[in-house]
């Protein structure tokens, strides 16, 4: 059974204070690891897909990295508008496309 | 494009009532999904469909039913609502390619009292 564990559950940062969110996973044949951002009262929005260990992707202040057991979402010099819940999900090779297994998320609060 | 549209946004049901959550997408995606999200938790897959006329159970299907008569629409039916079905429901879709991202609707917040 595929499993995704995210830590910490909640993270409070001061504006400009860099940090990282962790996503540990177990899956039989990784097809893709996804990061989504979810704002209160809204559906998740796609951020990144990572396919193989060693891969990295960046978007503005966010950088996602992948190893064989975990992924990190690095946030550099965060701003209050980065406050949201960040969800990690995996898809296995054996599943139909889109049958993603999600973690419980990390709720990030950035104070000005 | 509107993307994935869900209605209603909010609903309160009494125990034992039934209702249908509507989901439609205008991206001509083949694959559609229903997830539920409980407070502070991740998303759990209820049902999914890989095309019109084809549906299958996900991780938590009990108490729900779906149908897929067209590519665009994927309604979720709750029969005999129970308090355990209080949750936020998200519909999502993809075209079905390798490692594709999910497109989500804005959700339906359902309370069963």
């Amino acid at each position: 059974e595929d499993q995704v564990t995210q830590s910490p559950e909640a993270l409070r940062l001061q504006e400009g204070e860099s940090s990282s969110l962790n996503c540990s996973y177990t899956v039989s044949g990784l097809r893709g690891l996804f990061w989504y951002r979810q704002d209160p009262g809204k559906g998740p929005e796609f951020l990144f897909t990572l396919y193989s260990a060693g891969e990295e992707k960046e978007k503005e202040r966010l950088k996602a990295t992948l190893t064989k057991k975990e992924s990190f979402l690095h946030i550099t010099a965060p701003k209050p508008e980065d406050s949201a819940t960040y969800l990690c999900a995996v898809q296995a090779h054996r599943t139909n496309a889109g049958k993603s297994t999600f973690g419980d998320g990390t709720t990030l609060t950035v104070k000005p | 494009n509107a993307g994935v549209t869900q209605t209603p946004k909010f609903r309160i049901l009494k125990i034992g009532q039934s209702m249908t959550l509507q989901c439609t997408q205008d991206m001509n995606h083949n694959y559609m999904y229903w997830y539920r999200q409980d407070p502070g938790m991740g998303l759990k897959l209820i049902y999914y469909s890989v095309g019109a006329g084809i549906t299958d159970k996900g991780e938590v299907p009990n108490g729900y039913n779906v149908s897929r008569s067209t590519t665009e629409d994927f309604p979720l039916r709750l029969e005999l609502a129970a308090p355990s079905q209080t949750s936020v429901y998200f519909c999502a879709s993809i075209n079905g390619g390798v490692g594709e991202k999910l497109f989500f609707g804005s959700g339906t917040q359902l309370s069963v009292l």
Side-chain angles (χ1 to χ4, degrees):
Chain A
E1 183 180 334
D2 304 333
Q3 288 190 334
V4 177
T5 303
Q6 292 188 244
S7 61
E9 290 184 11
L11 181 63
R12 297 171 66 91
L13 299 174
Q14 288 296 127
E15 184 172 3
E17 179 186 3
S18 301
S19 188
S20 297
L21 282 56
N22 178 263
C23 171
S24 297
Y25 65 92
T26 56
V27 62
S28 179
L30 181 69
R31 189 175 195 179
L33 183 140
F34 301 79
W35 283 98
Y36 293 87
R37 170 187 170 131
Q38 186 175 24
D39 293 307
K42 296 188 176 181
E45 288 189 359
F46 171 78
L47 291 173
F48 303 107
T49 308
L50 301 167
Y51 296 103
S52 57
E55 190 174 0
E56 299 182 351
K57 291 197 176 169
E58 288 188 68
K59 179 181 179 181
E60 296 181 356
R61 295 175 293 282
L62 301 177
K63 178 180 174 181
T65 62
L66 182 65
T67 73
K68 289 186 178 180
K69 294 183 178 181
E70 57 191 350
S71 176
F72 291 94
L73 185 64
H74 306 279
I75 303 175
T76 302
K79 298 181 178 182
E81 53 262 42
D82 293 321
S83 297
T85 296
Y86 291 86
L87 297 170
C88 175
V90 296
Q91 289 181 19
H93 276 293
R94 71 181 184 283
T95 66
N96 292 319
K99 279 182 64 179
S100 301
T101 299
F102 282 83
D104 290 343
T106 293
T107 299
L108 173 66
T109 303
V110 182
K111 294 293 189 180
Chain B
N1 284 347
V4 179
T5 302
Q6 292 182 238
T7 57
K9 290 191 180 298
F10 304 94
R11 184 71 184 268
I12 298 175
L13 286 181
K14 293 183 179 179
I15 295 172
Q17 287 185 323
S18 300
M19 76 164 294
T20 299
L21 281 64
Q22 301 291 344
C23 175
T24 186
Q25 52 92 7
D26 62 0
M27 297 173 284
N28 201 33
H29 284 172
N30 292 317
Y31 289 42
M32 296 186 74
Y33 307 84
W34 276 105
Y35 288 90
R36 61 176 284 173
Q37 185 177 37
D38 297 328
M41 307 290 284
L43 290 88
K44 303 293 184 186
L45 183 63
I46 305 171
Y47 269 96
Y48 67 100
S49 169
V50 299
I54 306 170
T55 63
D56 206 347
K57 295 177 181 179
E59 186 180 358
V60 289
N62 292 344
Y64 307 95
N65 274 301
V66 295
S67 60
R68 185 97 182 270
S69 58
T70 67
T71 299
E72 294 79 19
D73 299 310
F74 190 40
L76 177 71
R77 178 80 176 165
L78 277 72
E79 304 281 1
L80 300 175
S84 61
Q85 293 178 304
T86 294
S87 190
V88 181
Y89 293 84
F90 289 102
C91 180
S93 73
I94 63 172
N95 204 27
V98 175
E100 281 193 39
K101 64 185 181 184
L102 289 162
F103 290 84
F104 285 90
S106 58
T108 295
Q109 186 171 324
L110 175 67
S111 295
V112 181
L113 305 174

